[in-house]
């Protein structure tokens, strides 16, 4: 499945709606999302696992704007929240607490207490200490918390080191070898009900082999725990399925399902999936305006945009590649351009040596596949106000988050 942003004789369109028209109305920078693309991506994952008991818990960390979360809820998705704040967003979006999984490597007592009191479906615990705190809080509240322990299988997800989470050098989960003892020692403890096992080895994973190995480790452990008398109700495979940022072919949700289902069938337990990026990335673009152009004596051409690492940090932070396209291409030869942000840091670059038609000040460009880990990671760096977000649906568009005002940004300050 490709980007919903396509060039047309009238310029770039998102599901038939002119991107230039939206940018004119809401200003730039702005995030634009395709509802149709979100729905298709959700269905692709849901359909891929159709023959096996499963629940898709959309990983809200990829994009937790209320309208996006609600759209996924309306499709039948459940939610994966990675912080107390995300649990609250899930509840405000209308999810039943039972449909929320609460994950995260560092949950404060306060976050745990609120989550347990609100009745979240499952807490994915990251350490024996956290399980003990969960039990203590649940007993204090007179209830029982449903818990799955996250195991760290020491599997190389073969992705960017900054988003690899399944190696023993990473901070996540507990060592696989310790897992059985941790369950055994706490079985039957008041306040606790162990319902599952959890694994998540990284993000933007583009090879099947690590995902298959993770599924095997997860199922082997689940079978061992069942033999130990742990009454498991599910296994949680985490998220991590990658997308194609450069347009080349990549593993699909169907490939992923085919690869992990043999292991899952060995235990037969319902599987929880936590996809984030693969649901929202392609649906979104960041639209920016060119504020300056210049050429150096060595021939290097720069187009400086009004969006930078404060709006989309992925290229600066991970060296990530995003395609960049002109919204209304000018006639003329394509030449290599560096498309950069306005921030005084050399990492504030969206793309180098990109073949682009002639670019002039005030032109618009769209940075594609920015629906995941785009707006959620934005900041007020350089006192930029947070960008608006627009959802295109059925030929019409609505502002789902308006631009932050300068006064709103300053309102917190003495
Ligand atoms: N479950 C857990 C426990 C996670 O930590 C994550 C993401 C997911 C699910 C969703 O993974 P996904 O399907 O989106 O790969 N900011 C980085 C990505 C960080 C992902 C962290 N964990 C980026 O922009 O590439």
């Amino acid at each position: 499945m490709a980007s919903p942003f396509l060039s047309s004789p009238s310029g770039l369109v998102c599901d038939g709606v002119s991107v230039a028209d939206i940018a004119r109305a809401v200003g730039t920078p702005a995030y634009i999302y395709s509802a149709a693309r979100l729905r298709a991506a959700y269905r692709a994952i849901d359909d891929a696992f159709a023959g096996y008991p499963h629940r898709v818990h959309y990983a809200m960390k990829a994009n937790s704007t209320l309208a996006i979360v609600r759209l996924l809820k309306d499709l039948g998705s459940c939610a994966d929240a990675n912080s107390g704040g995300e649990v609250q967003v899930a509840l405000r979006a209308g999810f039943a607490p039972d449909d929320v999984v609460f994950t995260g490597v560092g949950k404060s007592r306060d976050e745990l207490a609120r989550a347990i009191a609100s009745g979240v479906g499952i807490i994915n615990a990251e350490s024996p200490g956290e399980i003990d705190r969960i039990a203590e809080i649940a007993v204090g509240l007179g209830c029982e918390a449903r818990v799955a322990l996250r195991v760290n299988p020491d599997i190389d997800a073969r992705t960017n080191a900054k988003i690899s989470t399944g190696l023993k050098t990473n901070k996540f989960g507990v060592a696989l070898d310790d897992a059985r003892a941790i369950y055994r020692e706490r079985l039957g403890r008041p306040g606790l009900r162990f319902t599952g096992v959890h694994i998540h080895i990284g993000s933007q994973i583009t090879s099947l082999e690590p995902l298959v190995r993770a599924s095997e480790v997860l199922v082997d452990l689940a079978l061992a725990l069942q033999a130990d008398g742990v009454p498991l109700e599910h296994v949680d495979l985490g998220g991590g399925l990658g997308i194609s940022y450069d347009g080349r072919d990549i593993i699909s949700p169907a490939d992923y399902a085919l690869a992990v289902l043999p292991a899952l069938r060995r235990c037969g337990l319902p599987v929880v999936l936590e996809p984030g990026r693969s649901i929202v990335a392609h649906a979104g673009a960041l639209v920016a305006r060119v504020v300056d152009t210049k050429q150096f004596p060595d021939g290097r051409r720069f187009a400086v945009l009004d969006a930078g690492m404060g709006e989309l940090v992925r290229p600066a932070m991970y060296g990530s590649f995003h395609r960049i396209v002109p919204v209304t291409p000018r006639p003329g030869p394509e030449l290599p351009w560096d498309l950069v942000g306005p921030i005084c840091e050399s990492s504030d670059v969206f793309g180098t040596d990109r073949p682009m038609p002639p670019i002039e000040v005030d032109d618009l460009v769209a940075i594609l596949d920015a629906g995941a880990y785009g707006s959620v990671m934005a900041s007020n760096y350089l006192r930029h106000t947070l960008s608006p977000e627009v959802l295109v649906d059925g030929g019409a568009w609505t502002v789902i988050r308006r631009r932050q005002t300068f006064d709103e940004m300053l309102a917190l300050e003495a």
Side-chain angles (χ1 to χ4, degrees), residues 59 61-62 80 82 103 150 163 198 200 202-204 238-241 274-278 314 318 372-373 377:
K61 65 191 308 189
D80 168 33
N82 261 257
T103 314
R150 177 174 183 174
I163 52 174
H198 177 230
H200 171 80
S203 191
Q204 185 51 16
L241 182 62
E274 301 172 352
R277 183 190 317 266
S278 50
R314 303 194 67 257
Y318 314 109
Y373 306 109
M377 294 178 79

Side-chain angles (χ1 to χ4, degrees), residues 267-278:
C267 72
L269 287 167
V271 65
V272 165
L273 305 162
E274 301 172 352
R277 183 190 317 266
S278 50

